[in-house]
Amino acid sequence: DTEVTQTPKHLVMGMTNKKSLKCEQHMGHRAMYWYKQKAKKPPELMFVYSYEKLSINESVPSRFSPECPNSSLLNLHLHALQPEDSALYLCASSQDQSRVYGYTFGSGTRLTVV
Amino acid sequence: GDSVTQMEGPVTLSEEAFLTINCTYTATGYPSLFWYVQYPGEGLQLLLKATKADDKGSNKGFEATYRKETTSFHLEKGSVQVSDSAVYFCALKGDTGKLIFGQGTTLQVKP
């Protein structure tokens, strides 16, 4: 299995809703990442988990809450989002955080906040 | 801090034309360099990588050579196809473990 699987593929939520994005990989990778990508822009790093512990938070607002229940799963909990949070949310994984390993990306969740 | 600069797009080519997308970087230490491709509506796919100076990464007819002296990692392909139309991102990964992207270059190949 060489994939990162993200669910759902599309999500529409209101500003008062609570929802979660899910990411799963079975490649034995020990680093997992959340990125946010706006149209025609490069992905922006949000969070990094290394060996199931949060190692980097790029000053992301608290309405985004990551969770890593085990080495294969990564969740992103969403609460009280704003319309400007609408974007493609990408999950990625790598063997670990060392520089020689690239990332494997999922196909993303396209989020629309109404 | 570390950064990546890519040539501005869009790049429009005819099928079978030669492709070059320029990428230069600024980094402390010795980063690894990557090219990713993103097709419409999809996530990013790793196209090729190089982890040290003078390494050449190659995949699906695409090539890029890690040039430390010019801090460059230009992407080339000898003969592009319509199916190569996509957005191409140059990226580096240094000691922070973060993958840092350039702005992306849109390639459109016309039949």
Side-chain angles (χ1 to χ4, degrees):
Chain A
D1 188 353
T2 58
E3 288 187 346
V4 173
T5 303
Q6 288 188 245
T7 54
K9 293 198 180 305
H10 300 275
L11 178 63
V12 179
M13 62 184 290
M15 289 188 284
T16 58
N17 289 161
K18 288 185 181 181
K19 296 286 185 183
S20 297
L21 309 185
K22 181 180 173 182
C23 173
E24 193 166 4
Q25 58 89 14
H26 296 287
M27 295 177 281
H29 288 176
R30 302 315 300 268
M32 296 185 76
Y33 312 84
W34 280 114
Y35 277 82
K36 174 183 177 180
Q37 187 180 27
K38 301 285 266 186
K40 301 190 183 301
K41 296 291 187 183
E44 299 172 19
L45 182 64
M46 299 174 72
F47 302 104
V48 179
Y49 273 83
S50 179
Y51 291 87
E52 299 160 54
K53 295 195 184 308
L54 183 65
S55 66
I56 298 175
N57 176 341
E58 292 285 277
S59 303
V60 178
S62 60
R63 58 185 184 270
F64 296 91
S65 175
E67 178 196 19
C68 188
N70 60 55
S71 60
S72 300
L73 279 175
L74 187 66
N75 297 321
L76 186 63
H77 303 298
L78 314 173
H79 173 53
L81 295 193
Q82 303 297 310
E84 59 264 29
D85 296 321
S86 298
L88 180 67
Y89 287 84
L90 294 164
C91 175
S93 69
S94 64
Q95 192 75 28
D96 58 36
Q97 280 191 268
S98 77
R99 65 173 187 83
V100 300
Y101 297 115
Y103 295 4
T104 300
F105 282 86
S107 56
T109 294
R110 189 160 299 281
L111 174 67
T112 303
V113 181
V114 296
Chain B
D2 296 352
S3 66
V4 176
T5 302
Q6 287 181 240
M7 63 187 287
E8 297 236 355
V11 174
T12 302
L13 296 173
S14 298
E15 207 165 21
E16 298 184 4
F18 185 87
L19 169 70
T20 301
I21 300 178
N22 290 338
C23 170
T24 57
Y25 68 91
T26 302
T28 55
Y30 302 96
S32 293
L33 301 173
F34 305 84
W35 277 102
Y36 282 84
V37 58
Q38 186 173 30
Y39 298 100
E42 297 185 12
L44 280 72
Q45 298 176 25
L46 178 63
L47 185 58
L48 53 84
K49 72 174 187 179
T51 59
K52 60 183 187 297
D54 300 324
D55 267 2
K56 178 187 281 189
S58 61
N59 186 26
K60 299 181 182 179
F62 291 90
E63 293 183 340
T65 301
Y66 189 141
R67 300 285 188 202
K68 189 169 183 297
E69 63 276 13
T70 54
T71 61
S72 65
F73 192 55
H74 304 321
L75 183 68
E76 296 182 336
K77 186 177 186 184
S79 175
V80 293
Q81 306 299 312
V82 171
S83 57
D84 294 325
S85 299
V87 181
Y88 291 81
F89 291 98
C90 184
L92 71 81
K93 192 180 185 191
D95 293 334
T96 64
K98 298 181 192 181
L99 193 61
I100 296 170
F101 290 94
Q103 289 301 303
T105 302
T106 299
L107 170 65
Q108 185 176 19
V109 180
K110 297 188 173 180

